[in-house]
Amino acid sequence: MHQTFDITRTNRKIVSQLLQDLTLEQLNAIPEGFNNNIIWNIGHIIVVQQMLVYKLSGLPMLISNELVEKYKKGTKPEHQVTQEEVAEIQSLLFETINTTKADFNSKLFKNYQEYPTSVGFIIKNVEDALSFNYYHEGLHLGIIVSLKKFI
């Protein structure tokens, strides 16, 4: 499982660098033909990781319900994100994965509600959730890179 956290952290380092290199206007831009923007994709990976790992384990998530409502599956950007929101998302990129790793190592995740993903993979435990999560984050990194080409 150590490698799973390393892969996720590496992906988030790339996302974090993109976040730092773009203006607020670029982060909020929704190019023609797209349904969302770069900052939505970044917020989304944080929210989905928390839902897959903590919520489905029956544990409190490390993020606010407001963040969940803005970035969960099925949502789209409804407002222009502020610099303060960008700073919060930036800090959550690493805080959430570092805390998740510590919680995993301390064996906090004892129960899990099985979850069938939209791509047909059935997540049966927290290990599956963490593995599926880095696949999910990789997909969204690809979307972010595509969006960057159009802004």
Side-chain angles (χ1 to χ4, degrees), residues 5-67:
F5 287 104
D6 288 346
I7 292 167
T8 302
R9 193 172 284 109
T10 298
N11 190 74
R12 289 189 178 199
K13 282 179 185 174
I14 296 166
V15 169
S16 176
Q17 189 60 56
L18 288 166
L19 190 57
Q20 291 173 33
D21 292 345
L22 298 172
T23 67
L24 198 54
E25 182 180 344
Q26 290 172 314
L27 292 170
N28 280 296
I30 303 173
E32 189 173 328
F34 289 88
N35 295 324
N36 51 47
N37 54 30
I38 290 173
I39 195 65
W40 182 90
N41 278 275
I42 298 171
H44 178 72
I45 66 171
I46 293 166
V47 166
V48 168
Q49 184 267 335
Q50 288 292 293
M51 293 179 81
L52 288 174
V53 176
Y54 285 87
K55 185 173 183 178
L56 291 172
S57 291
L59 298 169
M61 292 184 284
L62 307 172
I63 57 174
S64 69
N65 288 334
E66 180 184 3
L67 202 68

Side-chain angles (χ1 to χ4, degrees), residues 19 22-23 26-27 33 49 57 74-75 91 94 107-109 113 121 124 129 140-141 149:
L19 190 57
L22 298 172
T23 67
Q26 290 172 314
L27 292 170
Q49 184 267 335
S57 291
T75 63
S91 68
F94 296 103
K107 303 189 184 324
L108 181 67
F109 305 102
Q113 178 185 335
F121 184 74
K124 297 181 180 182
H140 282 277
L141 175 57
K149 291 178 183 178

Side-chain angles (χ1 to χ4, degrees), residues 47-98:
V47 166
V48 168
Q49 184 267 335
Q50 288 292 293
M51 293 179 81
L52 288 174
V53 176
Y54 285 87
K55 185 173 183 178
L56 291 172
S57 291
L59 298 169
M61 292 184 284
L62 307 172
I63 57 174
S64 69
N65 288 334
E66 180 184 3
L67 202 68
V68 172
E69 290 304 313
K70 286 181 184 177
Y71 298 105
K72 68 183 179 182
K73 181 180 176 182
T75 63
K76 61 182 181 179
E78 298 289 340
H79 73 291
Q80 293 289 302
V81 174
T82 66
Q83 196 60 52
E84 292 78 25
E85 290 172 287
V86 171
E88 176 188 18
I89 289 169
Q90 175 79 349
S91 68
L92 287 171
L93 276 171
F94 296 103
E95 288 173 19
T96 53
I97 202 63
N98 291 339

Side-chain angles (χ1 to χ4, degrees), residues 96-114:
T96 53
I97 202 63
N98 291 339
T99 302
T100 301
K101 183 177 181 181
D103 288 345
F104 180 82
N105 289 338
S106 68
K107 303 189 184 324
L108 181 67
F109 305 102
K110 297 183 184 339
N111 301 309
Y112 199 83
Q113 178 185 335
E114 195 170 283

